[in-house]
Amino acid sequence: MDIKKDDLTGADVIALIAEHLEGMFASSPPESVHALNLDGLKKPEITFWSVWEQGELLGIGALKELSRQEGEVKSMRTASQHLRKGVARYMLDHIVSEAKSRGYKRLNLETGSMEAFAPAVRLYESFGFKECEPFADYSEDPNSLFMTLEL
């Protein structure tokens, strides 16, 4: 698997972002969906990566800079045909490593609290993420689970 910093212009990447958004809206009420669209992912505080193997897109992930000391995991998604192959673990390891190299002290994320998000929560917990209060611009939401990792 190869991770590359992505410019968000490739058809495969655009399609996977659309699939990600579609999945988020299918699993959560609209007011509880915090996934970024293509334009949101192009903001300067976001670094976006894609995971490839032999020319095939396996997954995506992003890191949003909240401050010079803090980041947020965004847009983690594995292509449906590549689930349970370690793609998300590979991407999350990359994001955590990047956050450490930037000197962040904390890495945060928001995910859904419903059963559909249980595999993601287990992955985050396996990296040491713990539940926390809402951070940045988030507020309490019964459909959201907030997690943090001290780096």
Side-chain angles (χ1 to χ4, degrees):
M1 284 187 265
D2 297 309
I3 293 180
K4 71 172 197 169
K5 190 173 178 184
D6 201 291
D7 64 6
L8 296 143
T9 59
D12 290 348
V13 169
I14 291 169
L16 188 52
I17 292 167
E19 179 185 317
H20 178 58
L21 288 169
E22 190 175 297
M24 294 302 97
F25 281 100
S27 301
S28 303
E31 66 275 7
S32 297
V33 174
H34 302 288
L36 297 173
N37 63 19
L38 194 59
D39 288 337
L41 289 167
K42 291 181 178 179
K43 292 190 174 174
E45 65 270 18
I46 306 273
T47 305
F48 182 87
W49 296 278
S50 52
V51 183
W52 299 84
E53 189 169 66
Q54 298 176 345
E56 189 172 0
L57 178 63
L58 306 182
I60 56 173
L63 176 59
K64 178 179 182 180
E65 183 166 286
L66 299 176
S67 72
R68 295 182 73 200
Q69 307 243 331
E70 201 166 1
E72 178 183 1
V73 177
K74 296 295 292 180
S75 300
M76 288 277 297
R77 184 68 173 208
T78 300
S80 55
Q81 66 271 30
H82 295 290
L83 293 171
R84 292 176 248 323
K85 294 181 181 177
V87 177
R89 179 169 296 283
Y90 192 68
M91 176 58 79
L92 187 57
D93 185 60
H94 177 78
I95 291 171
V96 170
S97 294
E98 177 66 19
K100 288 178 180 177
S101 74
R102 292 181 183 187
Y104 293 168
K105 304 290 183 223
R106 180 187 318 263
L107 188 56
N108 303 299
L109 64 88
E110 179 276 336
T111 191
S113 62
M114 293 75 77
E115 184 59 32
F117 296 93
V121 171
R122 285 192 298 273
L123 172 67
Y124 299 136
E125 288 174 339
S126 76
F127 273 76
F129 281 86
K130 307 278 188 222
E131 286 188 42
C132 67
E133 296 297 314
F135 58 90
D137 295 331
Y138 293 103
S139 56
E140 286 290 337
D141 181 344
N143 299 301
S144 288
L145 177 65
F146 302 98
M147 302 183 84
T148 192
L149 176 67
E150 299 291 330
L151 301 174

